[in-house]
Amino acid sequence: MALFDSIINQVTSQFKREASKAVSNMAQNASQAIAKGRNHTESFTFTALPASVEELKALPEASLDSAFKTTALCIAALCNLEKDANATWEMLDYLKGPESVNEKEKAFIKERLLGKQYKTLSFFKGATPDNGYTPVTPYTITVSENPYSFDEENWATLYVTSGGADAPRPIKLRRKPSTNQWFLNEIQCLADIKVPIGQDAWA
């Protein structure tokens, strides 16, 4: 009888260990799946960059039904600043939805981009310091999220990667629930990057 009980105990212990291992593996796989799902990236391609709010609205991304689309259009619009500042403000106003670009925001953008338009071009595929941040055409930009991008309801922080920076740069967005559109809230991606080789006195 004691032998039988010993066998039963061994079988039970083995079963518990296998069951515990299976549960642990399932939890790990689920965690990895969630993490993978929240490191999503999307790429957008433009034949030409918009030069007016009408051209921007004509793009399929102008539906603004995803934070990724709005982020991509923000960078595309900023590339027009030195050509036509007023048209650029109109495009950004559209991307900001119920709000508009205020004077403080305009001054901030001008301070970081005038004379340094290469910063916005650097977010497109193929743009590097070595080629003066000249993107390949058609223009392609990749927008990414991280596991914390959508932690707060109706808010998001997405990222664009510059060919002249070591880490992705953020853009903050806000969702309008009544229309399910994502609007631009704060442009946080305009810090300095590596100077183009042609402008670098130490190159």
Side-chain angles (χ1 to χ4, degrees), residues 7-203:
I7 293 173
I8 291 296
N9 287 337
Q10 289 179 12
V11 171
T12 302
S13 296
Q14 180 67 22
F15 177 81
K16 288 181 178 179
R17 285 196 296 270
E18 293 299 327
S20 177
K21 185 187 298 184
V23 171
S24 177
N25 287 339
M26 288 173 61
Q28 185 177 0
N29 290 340
S31 177
Q32 290 174 347
I34 292 171
K36 183 178 180 181
R38 298 192 64 183
N39 283 281
H40 178 65
T41 64
E42 291 188 21
S43 293
F44 302 89
T45 299
F46 306 102
T47 302
L49 298 177
S52 67
V53 69
E54 290 77 16
E55 290 183 8
L56 184 139
K57 288 180 179 180
L59 297 170
E61 293 81 7
S63 61
L64 308 184
D65 55 356
S66 87
F68 291 86
K69 292 179 181 179
T70 307
T71 300
L73 288 180
C74 171
I75 299 300
L78 287 171
C79 288
N80 190 60
L81 182 65
E82 288 188 339
K83 296 177 181 177
D84 189 337
N86 289 332
T88 302
W89 305 141
E90 289 178 358
M91 287 190 278
L92 293 180
D93 281 345
Y94 175 76
L95 296 177
K96 285 181 71 70
E99 300 178 351
S100 59
V101 186
N102 60 45
E103 293 305 315
K104 184 178 179 180
E105 289 172 319
K106 290 179 182 179
F108 172 86
I109 293 169
K110 285 180 180 179
E111 178 187 350
R112 281 156 180 75
L113 289 185
L114 290 182
K116 298 181 179 180
Q117 189 70 76
Y118 60 80
K119 285 186 187 179
T120 50
L121 292 171
S122 78
F123 293 111
F124 290 93
K125 182 179 178 181
T128 68
D130 292 340
N131 65 15
Y133 293 112
T134 303
V136 297
T137 53
Y139 300 89
T140 299
I141 185 169
T142 298
V143 181
S144 61
E145 65 174 318
N146 68 23
Y148 311 102
S149 286
F150 292 91
D151 272 1
E152 187 177 353
E153 186 177 8
N154 295 323
W155 291 87
T157 300
L158 296 185
Y159 298 85
V160 286
T161 300
S162 165
D166 295 327
R169 302 286 179 83
I171 291 180
K172 191 172 183 179
L173 305 108
R174 183 176 182 179
R175 177 178 170 268
K176 185 177 180 181
S178 61
T179 63
N180 194 34
Q181 289 176 298
W182 286 90
F183 293 109
L184 180 63
N185 179 258
E186 188 175 354
I187 302 171
Q188 304 170 324
C189 61
L190 300 181
D192 283 342
I193 59 175
K194 295 175 184 176
V195 177
I197 291 296
Q199 298 181 29
D200 187 355
W202 292 97

